[in-house]
Amino acid sequence: MEKLGLSFELTEEQLDIRRAGREFCEKEFTPELALELDRKEEFPMELYRKAAKLGFTSMRFPEEYGGQGYGILEECLVIEEMCRADSSLGIAVTATTFASDLILAHGTEEQKEKYIPPLCRGEAISSGCFTEPARGSDLASRLDTRAVKYGDTWYINGTKTFITNAPVATFFIVLCQTDPKAHPPHRGQSLFVVDRDTEGLEVSKLKDKMGIRPSVTGEVSFNDVKVTDDALLGELNKGFYYAIDFFDESRVAVAAQAVGIAQGAFEIAFKYAKEREAFGQPIIQFEGVSFKLVDAATLIEAARLLTYKAAWLIDQGKPDPLITSMAKTLASEVAVKVTEWCIGVLGGYGYFGDYRVERFHRDAIVTTIYEGTNEIQRLTTLRYLLRRF
Ligand SMILES: Cc1cc2nc3c(=O)[nH]c(=O)nc-3n(C[C@H](O)[C@H](O)[C@H](O)COP(=O)(O)OP(=O)(O)OC[C@H]3O[C@@H](n4cnc5c(N)ncnc54)[C@H](O)[C@@H]3O)c2cc1C
């Protein structure tokens, strides 16, 4: 498998970034806040602004636009630390720039100047609108959200659903069908950036999510939303290709979320197992408990290494969708499995909110679904394996 093999080491600077993330979370991520926002399904706006001001949400953005000028690996280290400290708050705070990479990659200088600096300062939040009520995995088929041009004006109509940050976003990056006759249909799709206050754009909050409840989700409807060519992102009818390239890199962040969630739950359960006594000894003395924790630590380390490798490859300018899909699949399934084991280690206490592992488990499940379900990741992995072996 040497075709997969490249190695790396974390630098002193990267270790410092991880330490800084940990210190921030120890001070700001209180279990009470997480519990309250989980109950209310409310976004942690104040916490997000604090994190943004310290640069934690703009790690990978270039310094010229107010970002920290680091790579995806440094961003993953922050995501991991925040999700380790608290899965719900961690995801809510770090997913606030979702899809804005598309502006950096394909936007005009005016678009970059308009949207990226406020994002880095914590004065804006982005949202990426791809999924529709009738299609999520199958984005290559003809989209129901259409953009039609009359004169100089584009008219956008349609509905996007399950959109992260929609209730709090200041702008939306929207995948639309611009050529309804294109064959195959994805050759006729384009991306637009639409400001929240544009007439005809409406957001409704989706409630009763299983997990990541402080990371608010919504449905976005477009009713004759008028934009000009200034809102078009990159070239006309290239949107699908831009989106696929974006997801091939962005889903490493989901892997980092999953690694952090698993690590956080593991640490809670490990500490508990050393302190809780049954039959006259700490329960960690029972192999039924300790072997589960050993397996959890082993799986987390494997998922972490694959995640770092996927991130590192992107930072080296050699993004590898095979490794990114493998990392997302492995890490998300490790997170689901480990958090479930951790509930078991805590027994009845694990099933209630106080020890947080039940919430970490609820939060872990979404990492197997969004930014491409794990079935879709397996299809991607297979496609690349067939090409290489
Ligand atoms: C909390 C949350 C936040 C989200 N945030 C966003 C966001 O910000 N922006 C956005 O655009 N979307 C977002 N999504 C949507 C998410 O990306 C989709 O839910 C996901 O891509 C799956 O699409 P779907 O729900 O339509 O399921 P479907 O595509 O209908 O799939 C249903 C099931 O069929 C399986 N399936 C489908 N096709 C195949 C196949 N070819 N082979 C094998 N199995 C297959 C899937 O794996 C899945 O198990 C979010 C979702 C959630 C839950």
Side-chain angles (χ1 to χ4, degrees):
M1 296 290 271
E2 74 282 357
K3 283 180 202 162
L4 306 178
L6 284 167
S7 63
F8 66 88
E9 243 173 56
L10 289 186
T11 62
E12 268 311 309
E13 195 176 17
Q14 288 164 340
L15 292 171
D16 281 345
I17 288 169
R18 191 155 74 180
R19 269 191 290 274
R22 186 165 297 197
E23 278 166 24
F24 176 79
C25 295
E26 278 165 4
K27 196 161 148 239
E28 306 288 348
F29 279 31
T30 64
E32 296 76 26
L33 178 69
L35 200 62
E36 184 194 338
L37 299 185
D38 178 62
R39 280 202 194 110
K40 292 186 180 164
E41 298 187 63
E42 200 175 291
F43 180 78
M45 190 61 85
E46 204 185 317
L47 185 64
Y48 158 61
R49 290 196 177 124
K50 273 187 195 165
K53 286 212 161 44
L54 292 169
F56 289 122
T57 59
S58 60
M59 298 300 290
R60 70 182 186 286
F61 290 93
E63 285 168 297
E64 60 181 304
Y65 300 112
Q68 307 310 304
Y70 290 112
I72 304 284
L73 180 53
E74 286 80 6
E75 181 182 59
C76 284
L77 295 173
V78 170
I79 293 173
E80 184 189 335
E81 270 312 314
M82 292 206 170
C83 292
R84 168 188 166 274
D86 190 277
S87 51
S88 314
L89 297 178
I91 290 180
V93 167
T94 57
T96 41
T97 59
F98 180 62
S100 53
D101 313 63
L102 285 158
I103 299 179
L104 276 180
H106 308 289
T108 59
E109 203 44 49
E110 287 73 27
Q111 287 169 332
K112 290 179 196 171
E113 289 290 350
K114 177 177 174 186
Y115 293 106
I116 305 298
L119 207 54
C120 294
R121 290 195 300 269
E123 292 162 8
I125 293 175
S126 63
S127 219
C129 304
F130 307 94
T131 307
E132 302 189 337
R135 64 189 55 74
S137 306
D138 189 14
L139 284 180
S141 64
R142 211 168 304 280
L143 299 173
D144 289 328
T145 305
R146 304 276 169 95
V148 180
K149 198 172 189 185
Y150 294 106
D152 291 336
T153 307
W154 288 97
Y155 291 77
I156 304 178
N157 281 285
T159 302
K160 297 287 184 178
T161 197
F162 303 144
I163 305 306
T164 297
N165 300 332
V168 291
T170 41
F171 63 91
F172 300 83
I173 293 152
V174 193
L175 187 65
C176 302
Q177 195 73 39
T178 33
D179 179 358
K181 295 196 188 114
H183 284 288
H186 66 265
R187 288 197 187 150
Q189 297 177 358
S190 308
L191 287 166
F192 293 87
V193 197
V194 185
D195 293 328
R196 186 188 188 89
D197 54 9
T198 312
E199 207 182 317
L201 186 155
E202 276 170 30
V203 175
S204 53
K205 186 171 171 179
L206 296 172
K207 295 194 181 140
D208 296 327
K209 276 213 306 287
M210 178 186 202
I212 62 162
R213 290 155 64 95
S215 168
V216 287
T217 313
E219 188 160 274
V220 188
S221 61
F222 301 84
N223 300 301
D224 276 338
V225 167
K226 289 189 240 153
V227 291
T228 62
D229 278 340
D230 289 347
L232 182 67
L233 205 47
E235 284 182 48
L236 187 65
N237 295 328
K238 290 273 171 67
F240 176 81
Y241 300 99
Y242 296 157
I244 292 301
D245 286 350
F246 160 66
F247 283 124
D248 276 343
E249 297 190 5
S250 73
R251 59 176 62 102
V252 72
V254 178
Q257 291 172 1
V259 171
I261 294 172
Q263 180 71 30
F266 165 79
E267 287 178 26
I268 293 168
F270 198 75
K271 180 169 183 288
Y272 184 89
K274 287 192 290 181
E275 290 167 0
R276 173 78 172 179
E277 291 197 358
F279 300 94
Q281 56 181 344
I283 59 170
I284 201 159
Q285 299 299 334
F286 300 115
E287 283 181 358
V289 173
S290 60
F291 281 14
K292 267 215 168 67
L293 289 168
V294 167
D295 289 352
T298 310
L299 288 172
I300 294 167
E301 192 59 18
R304 175 178 292 120
L305 286 174
L306 199 50
T307 301
Y308 288 3
K309 176 168 172 176
W312 181 82
L313 283 167
I314 295 168
D315 290 338
Q316 299 306 306
K318 301 173 193 162
D320 187 343
L322 170 73
I323 302 293
T324 312
S325 285
M326 282 177 166
K328 197 262 190 191
T329 308
L330 178 68
S332 59
E333 291 176 10
V334 163
V336 171
K337 196 188 295 237
V338 164
T339 50
E340 192 191 340
W341 287 348
C342 292
I343 293 173
V345 168
L346 270 75
Y349 290 105
Y351 201 68
F352 283 83
D354 283 354
Y355 281 91
R356 305 188 296 146
V357 284
E358 63 82 29
R359 186 159 50 79
F360 277 54
H361 183 58
R362 286 191 279 119
D363 291 348
I365 291 171
V366 79
T367 62
T368 68
I369 298 173
Y370 59 17
E371 295 198 40
T373 66
N374 283 7
E375 288 75 28
I376 298 302
Q377 301 316 307
R378 285 185 163 87
L379 291 177
T380 304
T381 304
L382 178 63
R383 201 166 58 245
Y384 281 90
L385 286 174
L386 286 169
R387 273 186 213 167
R388 291 183 200 181
F389 296 97

